[in-house]
Amino acid sequence: MKYRTRAVAAAALSVAATLTAPAAATADPVPPDGPTITVTINNETDAPMVLTSADNPYGSWVDEPATVVPAGSTETVSAGSTDRRGFGIQIDYTMPGDATVALFANNYGTGVANGDGTHIEGVNRHEFAVATTVEDGYPFMTADFTVTRP
């Protein structure tokens, strides 16, 4: 009987540890000299930009993208990584009339930091334009994305 009680208790503790471990786990802190990406999103349109996705598979968000970037406003987003080789992010916002603004920032130490891949897609894509300016490259990338109506 004692063996059975111990086995059940051990199983219960194992399940409890499994369920609580992800909540207690923390991400690796971003080293102060690790690569970073800071982007400024300028919405120079008369429409709000609504967040649909924010992808940062090789780093962590320091300042996450806002769920809405109101018309005529600016949003600053930053991310960091422990991977000394660099990393990339993608942020997607929807615009009225089935248009999606896909913003890419790539900060890899093996090449030039860039916004390659940034584009607007969807049926209403011709109603909007996006311009990318990269100020600083690896390891501390800064870039500006400006969304306008052509």
Side-chain angles (χ1 to χ4, degrees):
M1 200 76 166
K2 288 183 179 181
Y3 175 75
R4 179 181 243 171
T5 304
R6 277 189 252 155
V8 170
L13 285 174
S14 177
V15 169
T18 302
L19 293 175
T20 59
T26 58
D28 291 333
V30 177
D33 59 344
T36 62
I37 297 174
T38 302
V39 298
T40 302
I41 302 166
N42 302 299
N43 181 0
E44 295 183 0
T45 72
D46 57 352
M49 299 170 62
V50 180
L51 183 69
T52 54
S53 67
D55 192 25
N56 183 0
Y58 303 108
S60 59
W61 296 108
V62 177
D63 292 314
E64 294 183 20
T67 53
V68 175
V69 180
S73 69
T74 300
E75 167 71 12
T76 300
V77 177
S78 60
S81 179
T82 57
D83 189 338
R84 301 256 184 228
R85 296 171 295 176
F87 68 114
I89 61 172
Q90 177 181 351
I91 306 167
D92 296 337
Y93 284 98
T94 59
M95 302 298 287
D98 188 28
T100 299
V101 178
L103 308 173
F104 288 83
N106 305 296
N107 187 21
Y108 294 102
T110 57
V112 177
N114 60 66
D116 291 357
T118 296
H119 65 281
I120 300 177
E121 59 188 29
V123 175
N124 200 28
R125 69 184 172 274
H126 301 294
E127 293 291 320
F128 301 95
V130 60
T132 306
T133 305
V134 175
E135 301 292 328
D136 297 307
Y138 180 85
F140 309 116
M141 178 182 185
T142 59
D144 294 323
F145 296 101
T146 303
V147 180
T148 60
R149 288 200 184 257

